Amino acid sequence: MTTLPILMYHSVAADPDPQVLDLSVHPADFGAQLEVLREEGFTTMTFGEVRAALAGETELPARPVVLTFDDGYADFHREALPRLIAHRTSATLFVTTGWLADAGPFASGRPLDDTLTWEQVGDVDAAGVEIGAHSHSHPQLDQLPGDLLREELTTSRELLEEQLGHRVTSLAYPYGYSSRRVREAAAAAGYQHAAAVANTAAGATSSTYAVPRLTVDRSTDLARFRRIVAQQDLGALYLRQRVLTAGYAAVRRSRSAARTWCRLG
Ligand SMILES: [Zn+2]
C-alpha cells in the first residue's frame, strides 16, 4: 500500500518566541529541507489534494510529500512563503482565525508568537498555498461541549471563506486532539477531511478525518529529515513523541474523568 509523509511545521524563524522555539524550524534548515526534496525528486502536494488521492480519485505522484504549517505565525509570510515560491513547492497553511494579528472583534485565544494579518493570509492564498482552518481560538476540541465545538469549527471556516472568497475544506485539529465526536462535528461543519498528528505516514487506510502527520521541529537535522520523508523507521524516529503523546492522553483522560466525576458528585 502506498503511504505518504505529511509533514507538520509550526514557526519558521531564526529567533522565535521561546514558547514556540522547540516547535520551530530555523529558516536556513527549512531551505535545506526544501533542497533535499528537490534533489530527491519529491513532488509536493497540498493537504487538500491528498484526500482525493487517498480515496483513489486521483493518482499519487511517484514520490509525494505534503508540507503543512499550523497556527498562522507571521514568520510564515516572511520566511516560509518566499522559500516555498522559490522552490515551486506546494503547501497548506492551517490558520487559527481568532489568533490573527488584526482579528479585531473576533480576537480569541492567546497566540504563542506574532501572527499573520488577514492581508497576509490573502497573499499566501493568492500565492497558491492552500489555506485550511485550525479552529478559531485553538482549544482542545475534544474537551469542548457540543455547542462550543460546533462554534469553533464553523467560525474559522466561515471567516476564512468570507475573506478569501472561496471554499475552505481542510482542517487541522489544535494539538492534533480529536475524538469520534470531534471528527463527526468536523464533517458536519463542512470540512472534507482533517489532519491529526500521530507521527506515522498517511495511507489509504487513514481515516479521512484523522489523517496522520509527522512532526518536523528544531531537533530535526537533515539526516533525520531524509529518513522522515523516506518513511524509514518512523516507529523508531518518533518513539519518544509517541510515548509522550500516550502519556498526555492518559493524563487528559484522567483529568476529564475527574471532572465528570465532580459534576456527577
Ligand atoms: Zn496549533
Side-chain angles (χ1 to χ4, degrees):
M1 187 194 68
T2 312
T3 58
L4 77 160
I6 303 180
L7 309 180
M8 176 183 67
Y9 291 87
H10 285 81
S11 169
V12 179
D15 188 20
D17 188 287
Q19 293 185 96
V20 289
L21 181 65
D22 289 351
L23 282 173
S24 70
V25 170
H26 193 286
D29 293 338
F30 181 63
Q33 291 167 6
L34 295 182
E35 199 53 40
V36 165
L37 296 180
R38 192 188 58 78
E39 281 166 14
E40 300 197 0
F42 279 91
T43 301
T44 54
M45 307 168 68
T46 65
F47 185 70
E49 288 164 345
V50 169
R51 187 205 59 81
L54 291 185
E57 294 165 16
T58 56
E59 290 277 313
L60 274 176
R63 295 202 84 183
V65 64
V66 181
L67 279 68
T68 69
F69 298 80
D70 285 11
D71 298 347
Y73 295 113
D75 53 62
F76 183 86
H77 194 271
R78 189 176 65 242
E79 306 287 359
L81 185 62
R83 289 174 173 83
L84 291 170
I85 292 172
H87 282 81
R88 295 195 176 87
T89 304
S90 298
T92 296
L93 173 69
F94 291 110
V95 175
T96 303
T97 42
W99 279 10
L100 290 173
D102 53 356
F106 293 102
S108 188
R110 200 173 56 83
L112 303 177
D113 202 346
D114 294 341
T115 49
L116 296 164
T117 62
W118 273 114
E119 188 181 353
Q120 290 173 326
V121 173
D123 287 350
V124 171
D125 179 60
V129 170
E130 182 197 14
I131 305 291
H134 191 46
S135 82
H136 185 59
S137 70
H138 209 278
Q140 299 180 17
L141 292 172
D142 57 341
Q143 306 289 313
L144 294 183
D147 50 345
L148 291 182
L149 171 60
R150 269 193 301 281
E151 201 173 298
E152 281 289 340
L153 294 172
T154 308
T155 304
S156 51
R157 185 179 56 72
E158 286 179 352
L159 286 174
L160 287 168
E161 290 185 345
E162 196 176 299
Q163 290 284 333
L164 303 175
H166 59 75
R167 283 197 70 192
V168 168
T169 57
S170 299
L171 167 73
Y173 304 115
Y175 316 100
Y177 295 157
S178 76
S179 61
R180 186 171 164 188
R181 190 175 63 95
V182 170
R183 295 190 283 274
E184 286 172 357
Y191 296 101
Q192 291 186 346
H193 64 165
V197 182
N199 287 318
T200 182
T205 58
S206 304
S207 157
T208 310
Y209 289 94
V211 180
R213 293 185 293 167
L214 300 157
T215 307
V216 178
D217 61 19
R218 211 79 176 177
S219 70
T220 310
D221 61 20
L222 224 44
R224 182 180 168 91
F225 183 80
R226 286 177 194 276
R227 290 175 66 196
I228 292 170
V229 293
Q231 305 178 69
Q232 253 172 31
D233 286 333
L234 290 177
L237 282 181
Y238 285 104
L239 186 61
R240 189 171 157 273
Q241 282 92 335
R242 283 188 192 162
V243 170
L244 285 174
T245 307
Y248 286 138
V251 170
R252 291 171 67 246
R253 265 198 306 277
S254 65
R255 276 194 198 139
S256 142
R259 267 204 302 277
T260 308
W261 183 83
C262 290
R263 264 206 307 274
L264 291 173

